[in-house]
Amino acid sequence: MSQEGIDTIELESSRMASGGHDAGDEAHLSPTTHSNRSNSVYETRYQKSLRHYLTREALPKESHYRNLNSIVDGSARPTLDDLHNNTYREQQVVLHRWVEDPFLREGGVSALKQRQGSADPEAPQATLRGKVIKFGWLEGVYMRCLLNIWGVMLFLRVSWMVGQSGIIQALIIVICANLVTVITTLSMSAVATNGRIQAGGVYYMISRSLGPEFGGSIGLMFTVANSIAAATYIIGFCDSLKDMLKYEFDGTTVIDGGVNDTRVVGTVTLVAVLGLAIVGMDWVTRVQMGLLFLLIGSQIDFIVGAFIGPTSTEEEAQGFLGFNLEVIKENVIADYRRFEGSNQNIFSVFGVFFPAVTGIVAGANLSGDLKDPAVAIPKGTLGAIFTTFITYIIYPVFLGAATLRDASGNVTLYESYINETSEEEYHFRDNPVFTNQSCNVGEPGDEREPCEYGLQNSAQVMELMAAWGPLIYAGCFAATLSSAIASLVGAPRVLQALAKDKLYPGIFLFSKGYGANNDPVRGYLLVFVISLGCIMIGDLNVVGTLLSNFFLASYSLINFSCFHASLIKSPGWRPGFKYYNLWVSLVGGLLCLIVMFLIDWVMALVTFVVVIALYLFVSYRNPDVNWGSSTQAQTYVTALKATLDLVSVEEHVKNYRPQLLVLSGTAGSRPPLIDFAHSITKNISLLSLGHVIQGPQTQRIRNALTRQSYNWLSRHKIRAFYSLVEGNNLEEGSRSLFQLVGLGKLRPNMVLLGYKANWGKCERQELKAYFNTLHEALDMYLGVAILRVPQGLDYSQIIEDEDTPVIMNGTDTNITSNVEDMKRNQSAGQLSLEVAKLLGTVNSNSRSAYYRDDNASEASTPPGSPKPERTAGTDDANAMKRRPSIADLYRGPGGVELSKEVLTNITMFKRKQKKGTIDVWWLYDDGGLTLLLPYILTTRSQWSGCKLRVFALANRKDELDMEQRSMANLLAKFRIDYSDVIVIPDVAKKAAESSRMEFDKLIEDFKTKSSEEISKENEGLLISEAELLGQREKTNRHIRLRELLLENSKDASLVVMTLPMPRKSSVSAPLYMAWIETLTRDMPPFLLIRGNQTSVLTFYS
């Protein structure tokens, strides 16, 4: 393209080599020139293909910040690994999916988009037949808000408000009511401009701001309220039509002039409104535009009539005298009377008038049909409020300046008084038509019927003052029909958005839309049925105030959304609309609540009950959504504040809680170990899982492992943290965990490990790393606990995790990388299971492909295990579902069912324990941790049937009774219930020869004759004769303790014993492990505990 004064850019096309090029690879590029009229030449190859030729960096692009990038787009932002670790993969996502999935190979891009489904709400919709209709702020928001705010209340209740409250207080009521709506609109504008607004209107804004619980509550209430409101507006239309037929057409009726007329006319009207909605939003807008002109015309008719004044004595007899200073003086102050069985005041009148200014969300509810909701909603809504506010300020003044409060309408009496009174002596106050001579004008004790006409008594005052009365009826028709159309069109769209989010069961079928505009036809039909049922009732005055309260509840939550998001100062709160204030929003929310109680306190309480019930229901269902709500941000702020406050709290032994760091590996690899730890913490104390992997690993792998573990914890309803570190061995990684896990005082104070049963057969350095881990924990002043169960703890090769397997230290990392590429702007914790399932289905790698850390529990596979073979045709969708039973929580490779024996072993600490004993061998005073943990277990439901038996050592045999009484007295002071106290007098007795021979077999492979034979590499891994001689007393004691354990605790439900102290440079790893093996072999579940020698028990109050 070449024109005068326009530059010409010539670009060469070249094919990019696979893998891309860095800045140095430029020799093959020929310079491309840019020429203009001045013949200046400069190179433009940097403009040509900066991304692919010169750098792997991506330029800022909108698609990079969407919730889910199009996986067909090859310009996805590279990951940090791609840039930093030189692992760039061009189009990997598409190529991998194309090769692995025959469905995609056959169907191509369209199949890929079909498989993707609705994962990306911002992705372009498939081309549909029909014309797409999008509205601007004028016809989309401003016009619809005008129609809803100028409702039937304008014609029927404004005159009554002036009669009750007088001109001054009526203006105060109008100003206060509009103040509430203006504040709410400012808050709504801020929320609407904080990112892209999708279809759903108020529901979408509240749910994305405050979360699914509040959003789901308001969404369902809003749908039901609008469905019933459509019926009430149509009933109002029918009542206005009946009044017009009665007064203007000599009492003409359709059937009986009563409820049957309402049913017939209402049904016909509802069918017509439904047909209009189904035809499309284009025709809805045209009809509403016509109704708006009719509504404006009726108001002009009223204004003109007010200036013209009364045109007949009949109008004067009905109280319309025209603008008159004396009338203003008469109506300027309040005159509250009894109305419909209750005494009125300014608050009750405010409650009656306030629904007249609602309807500010009529445009926002059509957010999905707006060209730019962020611009249209603030501009259109505020414009409509300003326009209607002017009219609501002017009309009360006109009414109060031209019409009296009471009039009998007796023309004969009115004319007679005028004829009998001279012009100088005449005053309207003395006319019997306007006094209690002809009717009750509100005098206390007057039992006559009240006057028929006047501001206090007639709802047709505006029709009386109008230049042409029937046009006011037309205005009433326009107001009621436009509101009915808005309700019937808006409610299905809110329901459609609610159904898409699947917050309630059974409503997803209403999420389907039809045509180019995605019209919710199914929602139309549902709202039609609800409205038709209400029309058949014929009178909905009872639920009228409830509907107003439902709308006010949504307004209150809109204000609270803005207040809450502003208060927590989340960096993601950046609304484009700047004219808001968090405290003003809070006041607006509180005003909405106050108005609810002013309207009807009973219905306000009903509204609260409904909101709370729906909130609890959605919260119980715990929908799998992540919308970045302010409640999520509040969780962070609250946790941060509480953690910082905890730093300043002085520790006290009475408030001691065992805070566990469990060296568990991935969460699903050692279920019994985690279940046992959870039975101690039980969500009221810190539980953190530690996992050591060999590094280095990519961030994709770390994210996948973290997500996998948290998903497992969530499915098993265990609240815990998961920490992943890289290390060359368990010792190095554990040192990092001991130093880094936790925050402030919310950090572990003890470590729980599984017993390493294969210590005699594993590599020597692996044994040393396990043993040194105990030293590292004690060096950090952490308590140490080792759990051993007969069947072992490691089930990593028996159980298949429901999540996608993760391959480490290998090349097959495409599963997790796909997720990273697709969800670039979300953290690891935000990656949903659905996306992981969509982009990386479970492959054929067996569980043996998992990296298993050095903390292996048992060398042998537990008995009764299925063969680790993957069955063909596994249904991944079923694997992703939440399974209700324990048996279904654990599946073998390929999804096969595990044997009953294996399930029993895995869930041994989840099940209720049989009645028995927990034998506590409190051998040495470690601060009381050995006694405290078993006591805590007895307070849990699983262990409630077990009693404590406490075993202690006696210093001297002749002090046995005294030691027993002393221990019993100590337990009593600690307020710890026990069934028996047993003191062991002869622990130093020489062990039996057979027991010593068994011990010698354990250490036979590790013995060496002299210390000189131990190389530096094997230091601490071999047992010298000198060490055996120096530790002979301790060795004998442990062998003797085994004999006592077999004698006393063989049938216990759990054995808890003080862990022997692994003294540095005094005992080698194999000798220490032989001691533990001797104590725990062939025993019930066995827990060895060593506190940090600091008291965790006290008998002081």
Side-chain angles (χ1 to χ4, degrees), residues 375-445:
V375 173
I377 291 175
K379 192 174 181 179
T381 308
L382 287 173
I385 291 177
F386 178 77
T387 304
T388 55
F389 174 72
I390 298 299
T391 60
Y392 277 124
I393 285 292
I394 293 175
Y395 295 164
V397 176
F398 280 20
L399 290 165
T403 306
L404 296 173
R405 282 191 169 99
D406 300 285
S408 65
N410 191 326
V411 179
T412 304
L413 185 61
Y414 177 78
E415 291 178 342
S416 174
Y417 180 79
I418 291 178
N419 294 332
E420 295 174 358
T421 307
S422 63
E423 185 175 347
E424 293 79 8
E425 297 177 351
Y426 176 79
H427 194 280
F428 68 85
R429 292 180 182 175
D430 300 325
N431 196 313
V433 175
F434 308 132
T435 64
N436 60 1
Q437 295 181 24
S438 59
C439 60
N440 180 6
V441 295
E443 294 290 337

Side-chain angles (χ1 to χ4, degrees), residues 16 19-30 43-59 83 88:
M16 183 187 66
H21 302 275
D22 275 334
D25 302 333
E26 301 180 11
H28 69 289
L29 296 174
S30 60
E43 294 183 357
T44 59
R45 65 182 173 204
Y46 297 105
Q47 299 178 10
K48 173 184 175 182
S49 187
L50 178 65
R51 165 75 188 278
H52 295 300
Y53 283 93
L54 304 178
T55 180
R56 295 172 184 174
E57 300 277 13
L59 298 181
L83 298 176
Y88 185 74

Side-chain angles (χ1 to χ4, degrees), residues 62-82:
E62 179 186 349
S63 62
H64 296 162
Y65 296 91
R66 292 185 182 275
N67 288 336
L68 185 64
N69 293 333
S70 173
I71 56 179
V72 182
D73 183 5
S75 61
R77 182 199 302 142
T79 67
L80 188 60
D81 284 333
D82 292 338

Side-chain angles (χ1 to χ4, degrees), residues 251-429:
T252 303
T253 63
V254 178
I255 296 179
D256 58 1
V259 68
N260 288 324
D261 281 12
T262 300
R263 290 167 178 166
V264 172
V265 176
T267 301
V268 173
T269 305
L270 182 62
V271 171
V273 173
L274 174 65
L276 180 65
I278 293 178
V279 167
M281 288 300 298
D282 191 20
W283 278 98
V284 169
T285 303
R286 294 180 186 179
V287 171
Q288 286 191 317
M289 189 71 75
L291 294 176
L292 178 61
F293 283 120
L294 189 60
L295 193 56
I296 294 174
S298 65
Q299 295 180 60
I300 294 174
D301 179 43
F302 163 73
I303 294 173
V304 171
F307 278 104
I308 293 175
T311 57
S312 66
T313 55
E314 182 180 359
E315 291 181 353
E316 294 179 357
Q318 293 178 6
F320 178 36
L321 303 180
F323 292 135
N324 190 313
L325 184 60
E326 295 297 324
V327 176
I328 294 177
K329 293 179 180 178
E330 186 76 16
N331 292 332
V332 73
I333 61 174
D335 182 18
Y336 293 107
R337 303 177 186 175
R338 192 172 182 83
F339 180 75
E340 293 185 351
S342 61
N343 294 321
Q344 301 298 313
N345 53 51
I346 188 172
F347 298 110
S348 61
V349 174
F350 179 87
V352 172
F353 170 76
F354 185 81
V357 298
T358 58
I360 59 175
V361 297
N365 284 338
L366 300 179
S367 56
D369 297 301
L370 300 176
K371 295 176 182 177
D372 189 353
V375 173
I377 291 175
K379 192 174 181 179
T381 308
L382 287 173
I385 291 177
F386 178 77
T387 304
T388 55
F389 174 72
I390 298 299
T391 60
Y392 277 124
I393 285 292
I394 293 175
Y395 295 164
V397 176
F398 280 20
L399 290 165
T403 306
L404 296 173
R405 282 191 169 99
D406 300 285
S408 65
N410 191 326
V411 179
T412 304
L413 185 61
Y414 177 78
E415 291 178 342
S416 174
Y417 180 79
I418 291 178
N419 294 332
E420 295 174 358
T421 307
S422 63
E423 185 175 347
E424 293 79 8
E425 297 177 351
Y426 176 79
H427 194 280
F428 68 85
R429 292 180 182 175

Side-chain angles (χ1 to χ4, degrees), residues 489-715:
V489 170
R493 279 166 167 73
V494 174
L495 177 63
Q496 185 181 38
L498 187 64
K500 286 181 178 179
D501 292 335
K502 302 179 183 179
L503 299 186
Y504 294 99
I507 67 171
F508 184 69
L509 62 95
F510 296 104
S511 64
K512 181 176 176 57
Y514 295 86
N517 295 290
N518 199 34
D519 292 321
V521 177
R522 296 178 181 178
Y524 288 152
L525 297 177
L526 177 65
V527 174
F528 172 82
V529 171
I530 296 175
S531 299
L532 182 62
C534 294
I535 290 174
M536 292 298 105
I537 297 175
D539 184 8
L540 296 177
N541 290 334
V542 178
V543 298
T545 54
L546 181 62
L547 301 183
S548 298
N549 276 281
F550 278 7
F551 294 137
L552 280 168
S554 65
Y555 296 172
S556 180
L557 285 179
I558 290 174
N559 282 293
F560 187 73
S561 299
C562 182
F563 164 75
H564 193 250
S566 303
L567 180 67
I568 61 176
K569 296 180 174 62
S570 173
W573 174 249
R574 302 185 302 275
F577 185 84
K578 303 299 182 182
Y579 305 102
Y580 70 95
N581 179 271
L582 75 161
W583 302 113
V584 173
S585 297
L586 177 61
V587 170
L590 295 176
L591 286 175
C592 290
L593 297 180
I594 293 172
V595 172
M596 289 172 62
F597 283 92
L598 291 179
I599 293 176
D600 190 330
W601 68 270
V602 175
M603 290 302 176
L605 292 178
V606 172
T607 303
F608 273 98
V609 171
V610 173
V611 170
I612 293 173
L614 293 176
Y615 178 94
L616 294 176
F617 178 78
V618 176
S619 180
Y620 171 77
R621 282 177 54 84
N622 191 23
D624 184 19
V625 296
N626 181 23
W627 294 329
S629 64
S630 61
T631 51
Q632 290 175 296
Q634 179 65 56
T635 302
Y636 170 83
V637 173
T638 303
L640 178 62
K641 184 178 183 301
T643 305
L644 292 173
D645 290 342
L646 188 63
V647 173
S648 60
V649 176
E650 293 293 332
E651 295 180 353
H652 194 281
V653 64
K654 287 196 300 183
N655 296 324
Y656 174 85
R657 293 173 185 268
Q659 300 186 137
L660 271 62
L661 171 60
V662 184
L663 299 184
S664 62
T666 54
S669 59
R670 294 171 178 82
L673 184 65
I674 298 177
D675 290 338
F676 184 81
H678 181 246
S679 65
I680 296 175
T681 59
K682 209 65 175 179
N683 298 334
I684 57 175
S685 186
L686 176 66
L687 175 59
S688 185
L689 310 184
H691 186 193
V692 180
I693 61 174
Q694 288 181 343
Q697 298 292 343
T698 65
Q699 186 61 29
R700 295 187 183 96
I701 299 297
R702 292 189 289 268
N703 287 347
L705 288 171
T706 301
R707 183 182 68 251
Q708 186 182 82
S709 293
Y710 276 116
N711 287 342
W712 188 93
L713 291 170
S714 177
R715 287 194 299 269

